[in-house]
């Protein structure tokens, strides 16, 4: 088993990569956006992170041989990135990290054009991409 973790700002291409990569598109996927969709706009990011990690742990326990793709912000210093590393280490599973990136205006245009979101999700994604620090819109090698 391997965990493939796709990180990046909203609109950076994480979902596109997951859905179009010949290997990744065949794997079980966990997208933190699904928790926001399920629980609504009042879900705090820390609650979403907790639900995401609980679900990942359950998946690792359920089938330790199945590869899994994770999709979330996973910023270079983000807490949930460290939580994934701790959980993967606990289960002895390697993590392959990928930072998806695009210029801010490209991310905003992709968010604007995405038909698969309600107004609350659109607003949250737009706000995140519009206000994110500039360095997040470039290639950031994970260490």
């Amino acid at each position: 088993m391997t965990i493939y973790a796709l990180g990046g700002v909203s609109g950076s291409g994480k979902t596109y990569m997951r859905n179009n990569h010949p290997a990744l598109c065949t794997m079980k996927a966990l997208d933190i956006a699904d928790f926001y969709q399920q629980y609504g706009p009042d879900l705090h990011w820390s609650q979403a992170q907790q639900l995401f990690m609980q679900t990942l742990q359950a998946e690792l326990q359920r089938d330790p041989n199945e590869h899994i793709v994770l999709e979330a912000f996973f910023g270079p210093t983000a807490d949930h990135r460290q939580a994934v590393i701790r959980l993967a280490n606990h289960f002895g599973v390697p993590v392959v990290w990928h930072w998806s990136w695009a210029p801010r205006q490209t991310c905003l245009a992709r968010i604007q054009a995405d038909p698969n979101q309600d107004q609350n999700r659109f607003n949250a994604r737009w706000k995140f991409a519009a206000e994110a620090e500039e360095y997040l819109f470039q290639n950031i090698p994970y260490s």
Side-chain angles (χ1 to χ4, degrees):
M1 167 185 251
T2 300
I3 296 172
Y4 296 90
L6 309 179
V9 175
S10 294
S12 63
K14 299 179 300 291
T15 302
Y16 181 86
M17 181 178 186
R18 179 183 52 140
N19 290 335
N20 292 283
H21 186 279
L24 298 179
C25 71
T26 65
M27 297 177 192
K28 169 79 177 170
L30 289 179
D31 186 341
I32 201 162
D34 293 339
F35 295 100
Y36 289 106
Q37 192 72 27
Q38 181 179 352
Y39 292 96
D42 295 330
L43 183 68
H44 190 269
W45 66 266
S46 62
Q47 295 169 305
Q49 177 180 328
Q50 183 178 12
L51 291 166
F52 186 80
M53 294 308 301
Q54 289 171 348
T55 304
L56 174 58
Q57 182 172 350
E59 287 297 325
L60 293 171
Q61 291 169 330
R62 185 185 64 76
D63 188 353
N65 298 313
E66 183 179 22
H67 299 303
I68 190 163
V69 181
L70 305 180
E71 187 178 335
F73 170 60
F74 294 131
T77 60
D79 290 342
H80 55 289
R81 181 172 185 265
Q82 298 307 314
V84 169
I85 291 169
R86 284 190 301 275
L87 193 57
N89 287 342
H90 175 76
F91 282 91
V93 176
V95 182
V96 175
W97 297 95
H98 173 78
W99 182 253
S100 295
W101 69 278
R104 185 186 309 267
Q105 291 307 314
T106 300
C107 292
L108 292 170
R110 289 173 178 169
I111 293 166
Q112 181 74 38
D114 184 355
N116 300 315
Q117 59 189 340
D118 63 21
Q119 190 63 45
N120 290 323
R121 186 71 188 129
F122 168 82
N123 292 343
R125 293 178 72 211
W126 184 273
K127 182 176 180 359
F128 181 58
E131 296 177 359
E133 295 180 61
E134 192 59 39
Y135 82 95
L136 297 171
F137 297 93
Q138 58 189 329
N139 191 22
I140 301 173
Y142 282 118
S143 54

